[in-house]
Amino acid sequence: MTGHDYVTEADRALEETYEEPMSLAAYVDRLFENPQIASHASKYLLEAIEAAGTRTVVEEGEEKERYRFFDDPYNDGEHAILGNTEVLNGFVDDLRSIAAGRAKDEKIIWFEGPTATGKSELKRCLVNGLREYSKTPEGRRYTVEWNISTAEGGERGLSYGDDGGTSAADEQNWYESPVQAHPLSVFPDAVREDLLAELNDELDDHVPIQVDAALDPFSREAYDFLEERYRRRGEDDLFSAITDEDHLRVKNYVVDVGQGVGVLHSEDDGRPKERLVGSWMHGMLQELDSRGRKNPQAFSYDGVLSQGNGVLTIVEDAAQHADLLQKLLNVPDEQSVKLDKGIGMDVDSQMLIISNPDLEAQLNQHSDRNGMDPLKALKRRLDKHRFGYLTNLSLETELIRRELTNETAVWEAGSYDELADRIRAPVRVTIKDRDGETRVQEFAPHAIEAAALYAVVTRLDEETLPNGLDLVDKALIYDQGYLQEGDSRREKEEFDFDDDGNDGDHGIPVTYTRDTLAELLQTDRDRHHADLPVEDVVMPRDVLNAMVEGLVDAPVFSTGERSEFENRVVPVKNYVYDQQESDVIEAIMYDKRVDEETVAEYVEHVYAWETEEPLYNDRGERVEPDPLKMKLFEIEHLGRFSESEYEGNQPRESVRNFRREKVITSLNRHAWEHRDEDFSVEDVDLTAIPVIKTVLESHDWDDVERTFEDFDPRQWSDPPSDTQTAAVKEDTIETMVDLFGYSAASAELTSRHVMGQVSYRWD
């Protein structure tokens, strides 16, 4: 595309975003075509969230419906809020109650949680989502603008002492409401009530539109000026004259910070009134014809409520503005605030505050006074939603990858196997050395997984562990929803987890993990493997060792936390080693795997053996189950039984029980769960049955030893040429690189590490 093409494309984008200003009557006509463009603040925010749709996720081992709005879909996921789906759903439920006026009208929504839990992302996600939603036809947002210079006998302009021109076509004389006044606020109360009643009758929604606000002071100044002029003239249709297109226009605006969204940052200062609504500009008061009173045209309207009027008001790092919160006490239920003792302003804004736990400490400083707590009224109006640290391995892995790379796309997967591949995947980062040279540094497969799993394990409540589980098991159950133990799969419901535990309340934050990994990227690690390719590699054990060693000097952890976290690294190291070992074994045995046809034949014979169902060959001839085929499969491929467990080819009790409990029962359960409306099963996926899946995908060292009789892991680092070990190693490294995502260097290092451990117990 040429530069002109890009400019043309930008023109089209803006044309789709903005509309030509319209008359008040035309706006009302459009309302009845699309009522939701008149929605009040909480309803508008709710509609923006719901418009993005939902998706199903698994968090803490349970399926939940998640609003895609919080994935930051309009911004390619850059500021997506990972996890905390249940908290966000609770927020939307409360928002729905507030919008409908059923309850919690007086509440200020409060998001609280420790550092690095996604609270800042929430703010950015809300702003991004509202901005983009307001560009859509369904999400259009409207306000009014005024021109009094065209009034007959007008002596002054509308704003800030500017006399202006005399033509409605002169755009410099049009002044937009500085607080995004709702167009319906122009109508007299009784007329507006009738209009809304008719509009809500046609609205197919359980949340009616509510517009209770009067005109803002700035717009009221223009309205009163025009009313006085036309009343003096004896105008019969006074309202029509005031709201004529020469004086009043309805225009759409794009919601953004400062226009529909007010954000009060931690560093913002000033008196409470200035931070809330703005301040008087005293120099302007002298220039405006105010007849001895303060003129609302001389007000800045740069406070958080003024900017957020119409949609959303956010107080960021609310502990820095605790004094301001008490001034907000009556704003939600009274929906008004004062510029001055004599000048008030109606406010329609959904209020939301964000804080670390230190705000709660401030609010509870007088809690020992019981009924005499001076902050009791404030605390009653705060509706708390708590963000916690992520307790899902996949989410924490995704978050760490975001912190290290430019990846922003939100992970969505059709099955957990897809997520598992992403969890274990390597990360390769291009960095620049001090001498200006660039190089690629690799976090080996399972390295980011190791960091994520360790962080999650530090956040889990050990006191709520069911018997027989460790924290790694709990982490896996939370992420998958089940625990695979050999041939058996146990769902989360089978474990007695305490829902009142403290999971996610504390632990290693992602910022610590990110900084630790970033330091590893800058460390020259070539000395560890000088005989390997130049590409640098960070191994899982490097990551875990660095994270543990850094605890001592990290100021964010207490002495007790350091000790607790150090003790939790061992099961993580064991789990990660098991994953590496599995990769190496599966790479060794990749070409020796049992094909699906052989497995299917075995299952068919077992099913016919137990149920006496007829079994047919390819020619349609009935055949009897083959005891020898079943026996060979169970000994050679399953590796579970020996010759002593058969009498000739006939199975003993242990084998018969296995066939019934592990194969037949699993097959029947799978068939039942995947039946169609006619309760029939076609094309049963045998690979989805746990015991069959294990046969197809899992091997152990006994399989390796049985398959490669001359293989010796002690020779792995430098195997003699023309030996079986050398041939196995060559094929294994090639498979790990081509199919498992390893680089040549990380495959070499991982396999050396595994073989070093296996060598001790090989004999």
Side-chain angles (χ1 to χ4, degrees), residues 656-757:
R656 292 198 298 271
N657 288 339
F658 167 79
R659 291 178 183 177
R660 291 174 181 134
E661 295 173 7
K662 297 298 184 181
V663 180
I664 302 299
T665 301
S666 294
L667 182 63
N668 289 339
R669 182 187 300 117
H670 183 77
W672 173 258
E673 292 173 351
H674 295 80
R675 67 193 184 281
D676 59 22
E677 293 180 355
D678 298 324
F679 289 88
S680 63
V681 179
E682 304 249 345
D683 300 323
V684 174
D685 181 12
L686 297 175
T687 63
I689 302 172
V691 67
I692 304 306
K693 188 179 180 71
T694 300
V695 172
L696 289 174
E697 299 180 357
S698 300
H699 298 90
D700 56 25
W701 291 113
D702 290 337
D703 297 322
V704 174
E705 187 175 17
R706 185 171 60 248
T707 306
F708 304 101
E709 295 180 356
D710 295 328
F711 173 73
D712 187 350
R714 291 165 293 196
Q715 298 176 344
W716 188 270
S717 293
D718 188 20
S721 58
D722 299 326
T723 63
Q724 190 176 56
T725 302
V728 169
K729 178 175 181 179
E730 182 180 355
D731 291 341
T732 299
I733 297 296
E734 183 178 348
T735 299
M736 292 176 73
V737 172
D738 293 344
L739 301 176
F740 293 2
Y742 284 81
S743 67
S746 60
E748 178 71 32
L749 282 172
T750 300
S751 60
R752 282 190 187 184
H753 177 55
V754 170
M755 293 302 173
Q757 300 299 314

Side-chain angles (χ1 to χ4, degrees), residues 277-396:
V277 287
S279 59
W280 293 103
M281 299 175 287
H282 297 285
M284 291 295 99
L285 288 172
Q286 307 305 316
E287 296 185 28
L288 294 171
D289 178 18
S290 303
R291 296 181 179 83
R293 61 181 174 80
K294 287 184 177 179
N295 192 318
Q297 295 167 232
F299 198 78
S300 69
Y301 298 99
D302 58 1
V304 66
L305 286 175
S306 299
Q307 295 182 9
N309 187 46
V311 184
L312 177 66
T313 295
I314 301 174
V315 178
E316 189 180 48
D317 197 6
Q320 303 297 321
H321 299 284
D323 63 324
L324 192 67
L325 297 182
Q326 295 191 63
K327 302 293 182 181
L328 285 172
L329 274 180
N330 297 320
V331 173
D333 43 354
E334 295 180 2
Q335 294 187 322
S336 66
V337 67
K338 286 189 174 182
L339 314 185
D340 193 69
K341 291 181 179 179
I343 303 175
M345 179 176 77
D346 286 351
V347 176
D348 176 29
S349 182
Q350 180 55 55
M351 276 173 279
L352 185 152
I353 68 172
I354 300 173
S355 80
N356 289 328
D358 50 352
L359 174 61
E360 188 159 19
Q362 292 187 47
L363 295 175
N364 290 331
Q365 60 182 310
H366 305 297
S367 57
D368 57 344
R369 298 188 186 180
N370 298 320
M372 302 301 291
D373 185 351
L375 298 177
K376 188 174 183 179
L378 172 59
K379 290 190 285 188
R380 184 180 64 81
R381 281 177 167 82
L382 293 176
D383 189 21
K384 183 178 175 182
H385 299 270
R386 191 179 191 283
F387 270 7
Y389 287 120
L390 298 177
T391 54
N392 275 59
L393 172 60
S394 55
L395 290 172
E396 185 69 13

Side-chain angles (χ1 to χ4, degrees), residues 267-527:
E267 66 270 18
D268 292 337
D269 56 12
R271 293 172 297 178
K273 186 72 70 177
E274 293 175 10
R275 285 176 282 162
L276 278 176
V277 287
S279 59
W280 293 103
M281 299 175 287
H282 297 285
M284 291 295 99
L285 288 172
Q286 307 305 316
E287 296 185 28
L288 294 171
D289 178 18
S290 303
R291 296 181 179 83
R293 61 181 174 80
K294 287 184 177 179
N295 192 318
Q297 295 167 232
F299 198 78
S300 69
Y301 298 99
D302 58 1
V304 66
L305 286 175
S306 299
Q307 295 182 9
N309 187 46
V311 184
L312 177 66
T313 295
I314 301 174
V315 178
E316 189 180 48
D317 197 6
Q320 303 297 321
H321 299 284
D323 63 324
L324 192 67
L325 297 182
Q326 295 191 63
K327 302 293 182 181
L328 285 172
L329 274 180
N330 297 320
V331 173
D333 43 354
E334 295 180 2
Q335 294 187 322
S336 66
V337 67
K338 286 189 174 182
L339 314 185
D340 193 69
K341 291 181 179 179
I343 303 175
M345 179 176 77
D346 286 351
V347 176
D348 176 29
S349 182
Q350 180 55 55
M351 276 173 279
L352 185 152
I353 68 172
I354 300 173
S355 80
N356 289 328
D358 50 352
L359 174 61
E360 188 159 19
Q362 292 187 47
L363 295 175
N364 290 331
Q365 60 182 310
H366 305 297
S367 57
D368 57 344
R369 298 188 186 180
N370 298 320
M372 302 301 291
D373 185 351
L375 298 177
K376 188 174 183 179
L378 172 59
K379 290 190 285 188
R380 184 180 64 81
R381 281 177 167 82
L382 293 176
D383 189 21
K384 183 178 175 182
H385 299 270
R386 191 179 191 283
F387 270 7
Y389 287 120
L390 298 177
T391 54
N392 275 59
L393 172 60
S394 55
L395 290 172
E396 185 69 13
T397 305
E398 181 181 359
L399 182 57
I400 294 172
R401 291 180 70 104
R402 283 169 165 263
E403 294 286 336
L404 293 175
T405 68
N406 292 322
E407 298 176 11
T408 59
V410 174
W411 289 4
E412 294 189 48
S415 67
Y416 190 79
D417 286 343
E418 292 180 40
L419 278 181
D421 288 340
R422 296 177 186 178
I423 292 168
R424 65 175 294 281
V427 171
R428 296 181 177 95
V429 182
T430 301
I431 62 173
K432 184 176 288 188
D433 289 330
R434 295 184 182 88
D435 57 6
E437 296 293 324
T438 59
R439 62 188 173 95
V440 175
Q441 183 139 344
E442 177 191 7
F443 285 100
H446 303 294
I448 303 302
E449 177 184 16
L453 181 59
Y454 181 45
V456 167
V457 162
T458 65
R459 301 167 184 171
L460 297 178
D461 187 351
E462 198 167 22
E463 299 298 323
T464 62
L465 273 178
N467 292 333
L469 297 186
D470 63 17
L471 288 172
V472 169
D473 293 330
K474 186 176 183 179
L476 296 177
I477 293 169
Y478 273 13
D479 204 41
Q480 301 171 160
Y482 61 87
L483 187 64
Q484 190 75 37
E485 298 173 327
D487 298 334
S488 63
R489 170 167 158 168
R490 301 176 64 190
E491 303 295 333
K492 184 192 176 187
E493 293 73 19
E494 299 179 40
F495 300 99
D496 184 20
F497 285 108
D498 183 359
D499 294 333
D500 297 327
N502 298 316
D503 296 324
D505 284 357
H506 76 298
I508 291 178
V510 70
T511 47
Y512 173 80
T513 306
R514 176 201 62 202
D515 294 345
T516 302
L517 299 185
E519 289 177 12
L520 285 173
L521 283 176
Q522 299 299 330
T523 302
D524 181 9
R525 312 194 66 77
D526 287 342
R527 63 183 182 276

Side-chain angles (χ1 to χ4, degrees), residues 119-396:
K119 300 188 302 299
S120 295
E121 299 304 307
L122 171 65
K123 178 199 72 176
R124 298 185 181 98
C125 186
L126 287 169
V127 173
N128 288 340
L130 288 168
R131 182 197 303 117
E132 298 306 316
Y133 178 65
S134 70
K135 295 178 182 179
T136 67
E138 299 78 15
R140 289 279 195 265
R141 208 65 178 145
Y142 295 88
T143 187
V144 294
E145 57 181 358
W146 298 87
N147 185 346
I148 66 171
S149 63
T150 52
E152 183 177 328
E155 298 95 359
R156 62 182 175 87
L158 179 60
S159 179
Y160 306 124
D162 183 1
D163 289 338
T166 59
S167 171
D170 191 347
E171 290 298 322
Q172 70 175 353
N173 296 311
W174 285 97
Y175 293 94
E176 183 179 335
S177 164
V179 293
Q180 305 79 235
H182 197 295
L184 293 186
S185 63
V186 178
F187 284 98
D189 292 348
V191 177
R192 183 171 66 238
E193 289 175 8
D194 291 342
L195 191 159
L196 286 172
E198 184 178 352
L199 189 66
N200 285 321
D201 284 342
E202 297 187 10
L203 186 65
D204 185 20
D205 195 341
H206 64 284
V207 180
I209 296 170
Q210 304 171 34
V211 181
D212 300 323
L215 272 177
D216 65 278
F218 182 94
S219 298
R220 173 56 62 181
E221 187 76 11
Y223 188 99
D224 290 347
F225 177 84
L226 293 168
E227 181 182 32
E228 182 180 358
R229 287 291 182 270
Y230 286 112
R231 183 176 53 79
R232 286 182 178 178
R233 286 180 51 190
E235 186 69 45
D236 292 333
D237 300 320
L238 190 57
F239 185 78
S240 296
I242 295 170
T243 59
D244 185 85
E245 288 182 81
D246 286 345
H247 300 313
L248 173 68
R249 300 191 306 201
V250 177
K251 62 172 291 187
N252 78 300
Y253 66 92
V254 173
V255 174
D256 209 336
V257 175
Q259 191 158 31
V261 175
V263 179
L264 189 63
H265 302 91
S266 58
E267 66 270 18
D268 292 337
D269 56 12
R271 293 172 297 178
K273 186 72 70 177
E274 293 175 10
R275 285 176 282 162
L276 278 176
V277 287
S279 59
W280 293 103
M281 299 175 287
H282 297 285
M284 291 295 99
L285 288 172
Q286 307 305 316
E287 296 185 28
L288 294 171
D289 178 18
S290 303
R291 296 181 179 83
R293 61 181 174 80
K294 287 184 177 179
N295 192 318
Q297 295 167 232
F299 198 78
S300 69
Y301 298 99
D302 58 1
V304 66
L305 286 175
S306 299
Q307 295 182 9
N309 187 46
V311 184
L312 177 66
T313 295
I314 301 174
V315 178
E316 189 180 48
D317 197 6
Q320 303 297 321
H321 299 284
D323 63 324
L324 192 67
L325 297 182
Q326 295 191 63
K327 302 293 182 181
L328 285 172
L329 274 180
N330 297 320
V331 173
D333 43 354
E334 295 180 2
Q335 294 187 322
S336 66
V337 67
K338 286 189 174 182
L339 314 185
D340 193 69
K341 291 181 179 179
I343 303 175
M345 179 176 77
D346 286 351
V347 176
D348 176 29
S349 182
Q350 180 55 55
M351 276 173 279
L352 185 152
I353 68 172
I354 300 173
S355 80
N356 289 328
D358 50 352
L359 174 61
E360 188 159 19
Q362 292 187 47
L363 295 175
N364 290 331
Q365 60 182 310
H366 305 297
S367 57
D368 57 344
R369 298 188 186 180
N370 298 320
M372 302 301 291
D373 185 351
L375 298 177
K376 188 174 183 179
L378 172 59
K379 290 190 285 188
R380 184 180 64 81
R381 281 177 167 82
L382 293 176
D383 189 21
K384 183 178 175 182
H385 299 270
R386 191 179 191 283
F387 270 7
Y389 287 120
L390 298 177
T391 54
N392 275 59
L393 172 60
S394 55
L395 290 172
E396 185 69 13

